[in-house]
Amino acid sequence: MADHIKLHKAKGTFSIRAAGAVLGESNNVIELVEGSYTPVFYVPRADLAMAFFDETDHKTDCPHKGTASYFTIQAKSGPIENAAWSYETPKAGLEQIAGHLAFYPDKVTVEQL
């Protein structure tokens, strides 16, 4: 794992919402802090309503985390394109975030309850 990336279990329960709908709640969220970037919360798929998520063809590569897959959320008001991402097979030291989704804050609200 890159020296500038830190992972830890976030304390408390988090609500995940988009377009007025609750997509999940979790008390198993992992907080990833990478250098001076804003922390990112990774939520286990088991705690999300995955029926609302469709994997897209979009992919990005991070030299520190690996290849990210993206998901569009099917909301009542219409699709929210590439609103979430996941590292299916993250690089060594980051295995904890496999099977988790992270969200763009301008598209999805991840809020501690």
Side-chain angles (χ1 to χ4, degrees), residues 88-99:
E88 305 299 316
T89 52
K91 293 201 173 189
L94 298 174
E95 294 86 359
Q96 281 180 270
I97 63 171

Side-chain angles (χ1 to χ4, degrees), residues 5-85:
I5 297 176
K6 307 288 183 221
L7 297 176
H8 68 274
K9 186 178 185 305
K11 293 180 182 175
T13 301
F14 289 77
S15 173
I16 299 84
R17 298 184 324 274
V22 175
L23 301 173
E25 274 190 14
S26 181
N27 59 3
N28 294 305
V29 172
I30 297 170
E31 184 177 23
L32 183 146
V33 179
E34 182 174 4
S36 62
Y37 292 112
T38 302
V40 175
F41 296 106
Y42 283 80
V43 180
R45 288 183 191 194
D47 294 343
L48 295 166
M50 290 304 296
F52 293 101
F53 294 83
D54 291 331
E55 189 167 356
T56 70
D57 292 333
H58 185 63
K59 306 261 190 247
T60 59
D61 290 306
C62 172
H64 306 293
K65 294 184 289 286
T67 300
S69 301
Y70 287 77
F71 294 80
T72 290
I73 297 169
Q74 298 302 330
K76 189 174 184 179
S77 58
I80 305 170
E81 301 289 336
N82 297 314
W85 70 90

